[in-house]
Amino acid sequence: MNVPVAIGSTFFGCMSNVVFLELLVKEDPGIGNLITFSQFFLIALHGFMFTAKFGTKKPSISVKGYLILVAMFFITNVLNNYAFDLNIAMPLHMIFRAGSLIANMVMGVIILKKKYTLDKYISVGMITTGISICTIVSSQDVKKTVVRGVVQNTSELEDFFWWCLGIACLTIALFISARMGIYQETLYKKHGKHPQEALFYTHLIPLPWFLFLYPNLKEHTLMALESKPLPYIGFGIPGTIVYLIGNVFTQYICISSVYFLTTECSSLTVTLVITLRKFASLLFSIIYFRNPFTLYHWIGTLLVFVGTIIFTEIPQKVQQMTKPTKKTKIAKKIN
């Protein structure tokens, strides 16, 4: 894999993954844990064969060092999954998670005692405002509560309560994810960067923990097996199973491509690719699935992504990359 292929794979894998995820959530809003387990199992199996060499290669970072990282990673994924089962629409879910910079800044100030420049605070203010606008507008059009694929006859107050609980799950997950990033940064400073190894162990170690979610996994596996076959897919394969297979494989393409970019490209390139990918996924989700998206949603989304670009200093870095070097200036003078 080279860099252009990795960038293309990131867009293809991550955007396709969002499509399959939304198809799955529309069929069964509570299927999130089954999706996560399937993804973890595939990535762990691949890592066991190619990264750990069937257990013959010792890790550069001790397994104990990964335990805290894995605990936070697992809890974050479970909370994000349960948000779908709590009346949270896909566009709001994507926008909310795009606000991870806010949590990172807060945790950085509290734990690492970091100080930021004015433009950082402005960008975070824009992101916070954007997420607040989208959240407030979305609260006026809360989805009906769905259990086992059936819309429940619940009151607006009950639906709003579950929606608020979903927002709480997303918020907690956001800050746990930020704390995980700080811990990961500390771990890598001490032991060096080992992205493929980290990818393997962060997906392998949590697998036994899914035993606590066995009733939930069993319930939604049976629901997936009982789903109607897709008309354009032969062999009578249940539609949800087809979507799940598509989601798992596109997730692998997405995450492996991103990990490759982090080792081969500058942070500017990786940040730019991920930011553009998120925005493209959001637009595709709105257009293809006809999700409700008002003018206020557009304003909020624009604030989130512009704030993200300012925070990551993409304009300044692009300007530095395009600025003529001293050698170029001397060559021009000679000519």
Side-chain angles (χ1 to χ4, degrees):
M1 184 185 293
N2 54 38
V3 173
V5 171
I7 293 175
S9 297
T10 300
F11 272 86
F12 170 77
C14 298
M15 291 182 67
S16 301
N17 183 257
V18 170
V19 173
F20 283 115
L21 177 60
E22 185 142 6
L23 288 169
L24 285 165
V25 171
K26 283 183 179 292
E27 290 287 327
D28 177 11
I31 199 172
N33 289 326
L34 179 59
I35 295 172
T36 301
F37 171 75
S38 303
Q39 293 173 351
F40 277 38
F41 181 79
L42 176 68
I43 293 173
L45 180 63
H46 180 273
F48 179 73
M49 292 188 292
F50 297 101
T51 303
K53 309 295 182 184
F54 294 93
T56 59
K57 184 179 179 181
K58 293 183 178 180
S60 301
I61 302 174
S62 66
V63 175
K64 289 183 180 179
Y66 282 117
L67 285 176
I68 297 176
L69 181 67
V70 166
M72 292 186 283
F73 184 58
F74 179 78
I75 293 170
T76 299
N77 276 277
V78 170
L79 286 173
N80 281 324
N81 288 336
Y82 273 119
F84 287 120
D85 209 15
L86 296 169
N87 304 346
I88 300 296
M90 178 66 77
L92 179 59
H93 194 280
M94 293 170 66
I95 293 167
F96 211 94
R97 293 183 70 180
S100 57
L101 291 176
I102 305 167
N104 286 334
M105 174 176 278
V106 172
M107 298 300 282
V109 170
I110 295 173
I111 297 174
L112 301 178
K113 309 300 180 183
K114 285 187 176 181
K115 294 183 179 180
Y116 298 93
T117 57
L118 180 60
D119 62 319
K120 298 291 186 185
Y121 287 109
I122 292 174
S123 65
V124 167
M126 293 176 67
I127 295 169
T128 305
T129 304
I131 291 176
S132 300
I133 291 173
C134 290
T135 304
I136 292 169
V137 174
S138 295
S139 68
Q140 299 172 4
D141 186 26
V142 178
K143 297 194 306 178
K144 293 295 292 181
T145 303
V146 178
V147 178
R148 294 183 62 87
V150 179
V151 178
Q152 301 299 297
N153 186 25
T154 51
S155 66
E156 290 186 3
L157 184 61
E158 288 176 300
D159 293 332
F160 182 71
F161 168 78
W162 291 116
W163 178 86
C164 288
L165 196 59
I167 292 295
C169 284
L170 289 176
T171 303
I172 294 170
L174 206 62
F175 281 94
I176 293 176
S177 179
R179 182 64 184 90
M180 181 180 71
I182 293 174
Y183 179 77
Q184 191 172 17
E185 184 180 336
T186 305
L187 204 64
Y188 284 166
K189 282 182 179 179
K190 184 178 180 181
H191 299 282
K193 293 183 178 181
H194 305 280
Q196 290 302 318
E197 180 183 293
L199 178 65
F200 168 55
Y201 282 103
T202 52
H203 287 78
L204 173 69
I205 296 174
L207 288 179
W209 299 355
F210 282 98
L211 289 173
F212 295 104
L213 301 173
Y214 175 75
N216 180 271
L217 293 174
K218 181 181 178 181
E219 176 187 359
H220 292 283
T221 299
L222 292 175
M223 290 175 63
L225 292 172
E226 293 170 359
S227 62
K228 294 181 180 178
L230 299 178
Y232 46 85
I233 299 292
F235 311 109
I237 304 175
T240 303
I241 297 297
V242 175
Y243 295 149
L244 183 61
I245 293 171
N247 177 271
V248 169
F249 278 98
T250 52
Q251 171 69 5
Y252 173 75
I253 294 172
C254 171
I255 196 168
S256 61
S257 299
V258 170
Y259 268 75
F260 176 84
L261 287 175
T262 58
T263 58
E264 298 295 325
C265 300
S266 65
S267 59
L268 167 65
T269 303
V270 177
T271 303
L272 183 61
V273 169
I274 292 174
T275 302
L276 292 176
R277 194 278 303 167
K278 284 181 179 179
F279 192 63
S281 297
L282 178 62
L283 291 179
F284 187 85
S285 173
I286 295 162
I287 296 170
Y288 183 79
F289 291 101
R290 298 179 181 178
N291 284 308
F293 217 74
T294 65
L295 175 62
Y296 293 105
H297 282 98
W298 282 113
I299 294 172
T301 303
L302 186 63
L303 286 170
V304 169
F305 284 98
V306 171
T308 302
I309 290 173
I310 294 173
F311 187 94
T312 51
E313 299 179 350
I314 288 177
Q316 295 92 320
K317 291 178 181 177
V318 170
Q319 187 178 6
Q320 289 177 4
M321 290 172 61
T322 57
K323 188 177 179 180
T325 60
K326 291 183 179 180
K327 291 182 179 180
T328 307
K329 291 179 180 180
I330 292 171
K332 286 182 179 180
K333 288 181 179 179
I334 294 172
N335 293 332

